[in-house]
Amino acid sequence: ELEKLGLREDVDLHVYEVPVEYQTVQRLIPALWKKHSPQLVVHVGVSGMATTVTLEKCGHNVGYKGLDNCRFCPGSQCCVEGGPECIDSIIDMDTVCKRVSALGLDVAVTISKDAGRYLCDFTYYTSLYQSRGRSAFVHVPPLGKPYSAEQLGRALQAIIEEMLDLLEHSEDKINCQHEH
């Protein structure tokens, strides 16, 4: 749906479907970062428990015990051996949530600090580790429970545009500080 809607004209949007497989995530996420060198990667995952669009603040390294779609689970139960326990996104999710909620879209947006210790959290941590925090993860409820594809697409469009806006303004401040 987001691919149909697109983003601002100055944004190249690349959409990939990531399989629910630990080993594929460990191979694919670094390869995509290397291929595109993006300003930001936003992962979107469906959560059967979600009733809102949920912005995840951080990814966790350990505690992965569930089998993936290939019936595999990392023996170490972690994403990156020796990596930090938790990595926060550099995106201020509280601000994104407030800004998107103020737009009056017919979608509720909330914040979370626990993406669930399964493939969503595993993917998020892997991407945060790869990007030094330049990643985001958005959990969405299943289609129709309660939102349509169009509603979710518009919400994701607004969320990503707010994230890019925050990222661009924070980099302006960083660059400004380095010049003085």
Side-chain angles (χ1 to χ4, degrees):
E1 193 64 30
L2 181 60
E3 215 166 11
K4 276 195 273 182
L5 290 171
L7 294 168
R8 305 183 316 222
E9 282 186 26
D10 64 334
V11 176
D12 291 328
L13 175 64
H14 300 275
V15 177
Y16 293 90
E17 187 169 335
V18 178
V20 182
E21 302 166 1
Y22 293 107
Q23 291 173 309
T24 301
V25 166
Q26 286 182 316
R27 188 176 58 252
L28 183 62
I29 299 303
L32 290 174
W33 273 97
K34 187 174 182 180
K35 178 180 180 182
H36 296 291
S37 299
Q39 181 183 14
L40 175 68
V41 170
V42 179
H43 302 275
V44 180
V46 176
S47 168
M49 296 179 293
T51 56
T52 64
V53 173
T54 308
L55 308 178
E56 300 291 347
K57 287 186 163 195
C58 56
H60 300 88
N61 193 23
V62 297
Y64 297 92
K65 299 174 183 171
L67 298 177
D68 66 12
N69 286 355
C70 292
R71 313 240 1 108
F72 175 82
C73 180
S76 64
Q77 297 181 354
C78 79
C79 299
V80 179
E81 292 195 40
E85 163 60 30
C86 183
I87 302 175
D88 291 329
S89 174
I90 64 167
I91 304 294
D92 180 346
M93 297 302 173
D94 293 309
T95 299
V96 173
C97 185
K98 284 179 194 145
R99 288 184 181 184
V100 173
S101 296
L103 295 174
L105 299 175
D106 48 356
V107 175
V109 181
T110 59
I111 302 290
S112 165
K113 291 181 181 179
D114 188 353
R117 300 304 197 292
Y118 190 52
L119 265 295
C120 291
D121 208 350
F122 191 88
T123 299
Y124 191 23
Y125 184 92
T126 302
S127 191
L128 286 164
Y129 185 84
Q130 184 72 31
S131 67
R132 295 177 181 81
R134 297 176 75 85
S135 300
F137 197 100
V138 181
H139 263 123
V140 296
L143 283 179
K145 297 182 180 180
Y147 305 117
S148 68
E150 294 79 17
Q151 287 173 304
L152 291 174
R154 283 194 313 275
L156 288 171
Q157 182 185 48
I159 287 164
I160 293 168
E161 288 181 354
E162 290 296 342
M163 288 178 177
L164 289 169
D165 185 59
L166 277 178
L167 199 56
E168 286 161 5
H169 286 92
S170 68
E171 287 178 351
D172 289 346
K173 288 178 190 162
I174 291 166
N175 292 339
C176 182
Q177 289 169 355
H178 285 294
E179 290 171 11
H180 299 292

